[in-house]
Amino acid sequence: MDEFAVETLAEPSLSDPVLIEGLPGVGHVGKLAAEHLLEEFESEPIRRLYSEHFPPQVNVEDGRAKLACAELHAVEADDQDLLVLTGDHQPQESTGHYRLTDRVLDIATELGVDRVFALGGVPTGELIDEYDVIGAATDDGVIDELETAGVEFREDQPAGGIVGVSGLLLGLGERRDLDAACLMGETSGYLVDPKSARAVLEVLEAAIGFEVEFDSLEERADEMEEVVQKIQQMEGGQQATDDNLRYIG
Amino acid sequence: MDEFAVETLAEPSLSDPVLIEGLPGVGHVGKLAAEHLLEEFESEPIRRLYSEHFPPQVNVEDGRAKLACAELHAVEADDQDLLVLTGDHQPQESTGHYRLTDRVLDIATELGVDRVFALGGVPTGELIDEYDVIGAATDDGVIDELETAGVEFREDQPAGGIVGVSGLLLGLGERRDLDAACLMGETSGYLVDPKSARAVLEVLEAAIGFEVEFDSLEERADEMEEVVQKIQQMEGGQQATDDNLRYIG
Amino acid sequence: MDEFAVETLAEPSLSDPVLIEGLPGVGHVGKLAAEHLLEEFESEPIRRLYSEHFPPQVNVEDGRAKLACAELHAVEADDQDLLVLTGDHQPQESTGHYRLTDRVLDIATELGVDRVFALGGVPTGELIDEYDVIGAATDDGVIDELETAGVEFREDQPAGGIVGVSGLLLGLGERRDLDAACLMGETSGYLVDPKSARAVLEVLEAAIGFEVEFDSLEERADEMEEVVQKIQQMEGGQQATDDNLRYIG
Amino acid sequence: MDEFAVETLAEPSLSDPVLIEGLPGVGHVGKLAAEHLLEEFESEPIRRLYSEHFPPQVNVEDGRAKLACAELHAVEADDQDLLVLTGDHQPQESTGHYRLTDRVLDIATELGVDRVFALGGVPTGELIDEYDVIGAATDDGVIDELETAGVEFREDQPAGGIVGVSGLLLGLGERRDLDAACLMGETSGYLVDPKSARAVLEVLEAAIGFEVEFDSLEERADEMEEVVQKIQQMEGGQQATDDNLRYIG
């Protein structure tokens, strides 16, 4: 294997597809959101990307081993074609992040992409009632558009910038003159957070123009709720806090 | 030295050899099992592989320094030729794992290999009475075959996937259309575990078709037993647990 | 993107420019000093340098994402042209430091630079009344000149040498026959330190020959003072020490 | 700068020189021993080796900055020419160790070297009365020779092998058919240890055939002795142990 190996799984014709990224990150918000799109719409994996920059690892499901990879899926979201990037791993090391993101953008632009949405979570450190979605973008026009769709752009948030593939899709995307934005659902950071994923998708619905059911995400949210309540009971009725919940990043 | 240096030590003609990997890992199960095959059958080292991806280290035995390496041995296991990969080190860093595994597969396929068994341990966190062997494979046909040989394939195990050279032999092996499986003996994770190595080898006997003596592994198991009992006595007769045993990984 | 990407933002003609480096480091002394020059004099960014050796990150300000980079600015400091290097990141890993510094020196020498000042802080571990500036240089002539300007050259300081881009500008600069010096303001190491930055700039004024206002740095110093006093009050009037202040490096 | 830059400082003609390595390590034994040879005999630096595999750092002495490097010195040890490798740094990362050692061996063989001694310390964890020197070598003939010179070759020591440039000089040296040995003075591991350096040099005297004065090493040993005694007094007369001494590695 070279530095990258790209498998072509299908060659559908896509009409002005929008790239949506949902690799693992804070609260697994981006991953949950991206996978929800695959489940709710017609979707098909079309490219698989292996790389020595991923961890040296196979995942195992029902005994079948699957080499660490990222996948691009063609998704029909009502009238809008999407190209959805999913996977179980971020690259290792700085150079791996840069090179993988560059390769993803090579493939995406070949397939006609000129708009990119990176999905993720922004940690607040406390459990959340109202799920705001914070944004960052490469272009003031995109910022205006997304503000209309309900995204908040704040003076100094996210404070630590955006790291990993999500961040580089914006940074390297801008250098290719792509319109790129990152949508970050607020999330405690302590739990896998389907409610934050829903908040991100609701913004995406408005921004791109499609409608999606949320029943299955709500079910997962209810399951998480039960987990939190059990933890709170074990802790003697206290509020779930930094001290008794594990950070998911 | 380039990135890799391969020494040819012998050129025996091998008939449909099966590659068996036993590099260091959890409970040293794979290493013990692979080395047991070298001891019990006619065996001969045929390739030595040096790499800048190994630690910058020589091992010393009786004053003789030996550069970190991996070795491929030709082994006659009754009627079945084996190619057994042993060594004292895993590569450093992600890219090192990918490149070393690729190089091993290059050599193995040149020598006629089209089946691969990676041997290892899966940590359970507690001392074990009955040593199950968990499996993962690249192909449903291989899974069926190995279930007959007594391997358990579980829905969600091993939970963290398989990392290191064992994992990549499956992941990169599949990309070369090799039939590859990983056999993981359950083991506490706290001790070098000859009993787990025996369990793995018993499955391998059934899967490949050979018979091997286990007396020397049993002797090592008895020695380990004594070590555990001494630790338990020092601890005032308590069960050996996470707290008083060191993890071997 | 290749290993580096250099954007040309402007092509002013510079007359014998001096390179001034102020990347992040101890007490952010160098960064504060370099940014103060940009604010107080006519300045213009002329080169932007991206690299896979920077962290895989975008910074976000008012919703606009900006890929990790370093920038070279043309600055008119009275009669002396400066080329000021700023940025929010040091490279990752050893090789990244060497290669980025080499690239910066390539650009600087193309633009006519033959003198380099790396600005930074040297941690003393305690809060400071009198801000001495410690020096290191590639050449005895430079040392004599800077001693006249008030820099102290000490037998065995800084004890741990100078690490990062500042250090390599001297090390690699000398190999290119550039006159290079590092000016390090003493600083506790626990706080962003505008007073130390002022001390460094006062030496630079004398060494290069320009005059700069310090009002805005003094304001920032006053703000920091208030922060320290608040911390001391919270701690019950104790002196601010290693135990209650965070190291800024 | 490329991956390596080699400066030629002098071109003396050397007669069958022996390479002696003394880079930093346990107790700085090898470094002390190598530097003692430079001081006691006629010596001259002949090659300076810079590399992006060293830390990104300059050392500073009396205000002069010096880029991280390794140096080869021509030394006349009575009738025997030596090529002595010194420096303040080990390379970073595995590949850096392999490549630097390879480069050193390229230069050494060009200069006519076919025998290598790597000098170092082996940590015992306790203060030492009698300084044994443990050996490792690439060849049984060398082992016999060194046993005569007083080196001990033990079945299972050093237990963790030999890491860093010392180890690779043996490992990579053997692959070039050089006779290479590592001489490791026993040392607590908690102190810079001139006595252990003397023990190593005494063995080297016998093995190579030269005589050297030890007065200056003895003075440094006396200074260290005073340091230890002061620490012991501060600790209320207790023996200096793991708890009150810092490990030097």
Side-chain angles (χ1 to χ4, degrees), chain A residues 1 51-52 54-58 65-68, chain B residues 21 90-91 93-102 105 116 118 138 162-176 178 180 182:
Chain A
M1 198 173 84
S51 172
E52 64 180 18
F54 282 127
Q57 185 173 344
V58 289
K66 189 179 157 196
L67 183 58
Chain B
E21 175 263 338
Q90 292 273 340
E93 310 184 3
S94 293
T95 50
H97 277 91
Y98 277 88
R99 293 182 190 180
L100 182 86
T101 307
D102 241 358
L105 288 172
V116 179
T138 55
I162 306 168
V163 295
V165 172
S166 289
L168 290 187
L169 283 170
L170 274 66
L172 297 175
E174 183 180 25
R175 288 182 45 75
R176 295 171 182 242
L178 301 176
C182 186

Side-chain angles (χ1 to χ4, degrees), chain A residues 105-140:
Chain A
L105 287 172
D106 285 347
I107 300 170
T109 47
E110 259 174 52
L111 293 168
V113 162
D114 60 8
R115 274 177 90 191
V116 179
F117 287 94
L119 310 185
V122 61
T124 62
E126 34 193 59
L127 295 183
I128 289 179
D129 287 326
E130 200 163 323
Y131 286 82
D132 286 336
V133 175
I134 311 296
T138 56
D139 183 276
D140 289 335

Side-chain angles (χ1 to χ4, degrees), chain A residues 215-233:
Chain A
D215 299 351
S216 65
L217 267 185
E218 283 305 310
E219 277 170 37
R220 290 197 63 169
D222 291 345
E223 287 165 27
M224 288 308 301
E225 203 88 334
E226 285 171 35
V227 170
V228 174
Q229 281 172 8
K230 275 184 195 152
I231 292 170
Q232 289 176 333
Q233 284 161 8

Side-chain angles (χ1 to χ4, degrees), chain A residues 87-171:
Chain A
D88 290 326
H89 307 279
Q90 291 273 343
Q92 315 272 89
E93 311 184 3
S94 294
T95 50
H97 278 90
Y98 277 88
R99 293 183 190 178
L100 182 86
T101 307
D102 242 357
R103 186 54 64 98
V104 166
L105 287 172
D106 285 347
I107 300 170
T109 47
E110 259 174 52
L111 293 168
V113 162
D114 60 8
R115 274 177 90 191
V116 179
F117 287 94
L119 310 185
V122 61
T124 62
E126 34 193 59
L127 295 183
I128 289 179
D129 287 326
E130 200 163 323
Y131 286 82
D132 286 336
V133 175
I134 311 296
T138 56
D139 183 276
D140 289 335
V142 176
I143 291 179
D144 292 345
E145 232 179 278
L146 289 174
E147 275 183 328
T148 312
V151 180
E152 294 198 21
F153 290 86
R154 297 184 184 162
E155 194 183 333
D156 54 357
Q157 282 198 340
I162 306 169
V163 294
V165 172
S166 289
L168 291 187
L169 283 171
L170 274 67

Side-chain angles (χ1 to χ4, degrees), chain C residues 105-163:
Chain C
L105 288 171
D106 285 347
I107 300 170
T109 48
E110 259 174 52
L111 293 168
V113 163
D114 60 8
R115 274 177 90 191
V116 179
F117 287 94
L119 310 185
V122 60
T124 62
E126 34 192 61
L127 295 182
I128 288 179
D129 287 325
E130 199 163 325
Y131 287 83
D132 287 335
V133 176
I134 311 294
T138 56
D139 183 274
D140 289 336
V142 176
I143 291 178
D144 292 346
E145 232 179 277
L146 290 174
E147 275 183 329
T148 313
V151 180
E152 294 198 21
F153 290 86
R154 297 184 184 161
E155 195 184 332
D156 53 358
Q157 282 198 341
I162 306 169
V163 294

Side-chain angles (χ1 to χ4, degrees), chain D residues 19-35 38 47 49 53-55 68-73 83-92 96-97 100-102 104 117-121 162-169 182-183 197 248-249:
Chain D
L19 176 64
I20 310 286
E21 175 262 339
L23 294 180
V26 181
H28 280 199
V29 173
K31 184 170 155 71
L32 287 171
E35 289 175 352
L38 301 188
R47 295 286 186 283
L49 183 56
H53 297 298
F54 281 127
C69 68
E71 286 181 340
L72 285 163
H73 306 259
L83 190 66
V84 177
L85 177 70
T86 61
D88 290 327
H89 306 281
Q90 291 275 343
Q92 315 270 90
H97 277 90
L100 182 86
T101 308
D102 241 357
V104 166
F117 287 94
L119 309 185
I162 306 168
V163 294
V165 172
S166 289
L168 291 187
L169 283 170
C182 186
L183 304 178
I248 309 282

Side-chain angles (χ1 to χ4, degrees), chain C residues 33-45:
Chain C
E35 289 175 352
H36 188 70
L37 294 173
L38 301 188
E39 285 160 23
E40 296 295 321
F41 291 115
E42 284 289 312
S43 76
E44 175 186 32

